Amino acid sequence: MAEKMTDAEYEALAARLTDVATQLPAPQNVLIGSAAEQAGREFMLSEYGSEEALDDALRSAGRPRLGTHPKGASPTVRGRIPAADRAAFDQLIRQTGKKESELVREAVHLLLEQHRLAG
């Protein structure tokens, strides 16, 4: 097991790595296209051990599920709004720092509460 870095060693390393004057080595053995795809797949197989384990890992990746059901896609609601409402909505996204989907969920919940249908 590697020894823990001291604060001074960490600070020196951070300074060196964030210094814009530090020269980076030239890239070597760069793969592109199907060669990169094949090398990536071989690496992932070596990490997961089998096609089945890799498929399970890839299938479980993605956004976390909303709600109480552990599997399957979360229900989706789509709709169109006037351009002026969209502009105001974009401004709300910037002001709150929330994601669009988070604000849509919040808006739907408030509407359901207003109509006394929220759970």
Side-chain angles (χ1 to χ4, degrees):
M1 186 168 163
E3 290 185 36
K4 185 176 178 183
M5 292 176 69
T6 66
D7 287 346
E9 290 170 329
Y10 178 81
E11 291 299 326
L13 177 62
R16 184 172 55 87
L17 294 176
T18 57
D19 182 359
V20 295
T22 300
Q23 294 291 316
L24 297 175
Q28 298 177 354
N29 303 324
V30 176
L31 300 175
I32 60 172
S34 62
E37 180 182 350
Q38 181 179 351
R41 182 112 184 133
E42 288 172 6
F43 171 75
M44 291 173 56
L45 278 171
S46 71
E47 291 295 307
Y48 285 94
S50 71
E51 285 285 345
E52 294 78 22
L54 177 57
D55 287 344
D56 287 344
L58 292 174
R59 205 176 358 267
S60 67
R63 294 185 181 128
R65 172 88 173 112
L66 297 172
T68 58
H69 299 290
K71 295 198 180 233
S74 297
T76 302
V77 175
R78 292 182 50 149
R80 296 178 184 268
I81 59 175
D85 287 350
R86 180 63 208 210
F89 189 57
D90 289 340
Q91 181 180 352
L92 183 63
I93 291 169
R94 287 189 299 278
Q95 287 176 349
T96 63
K98 293 181 179 181
K99 293 182 180 179
E100 179 179 295
S101 58
E102 186 178 357
L103 288 173
V104 169
R105 284 191 296 273
E106 188 176 322
V108 169
H109 186 75
L110 289 171
L111 182 63
L112 292 172
E113 281 183 339
Q114 179 184 349
H115 290 274
R116 292 174 174 66
L117 297 171

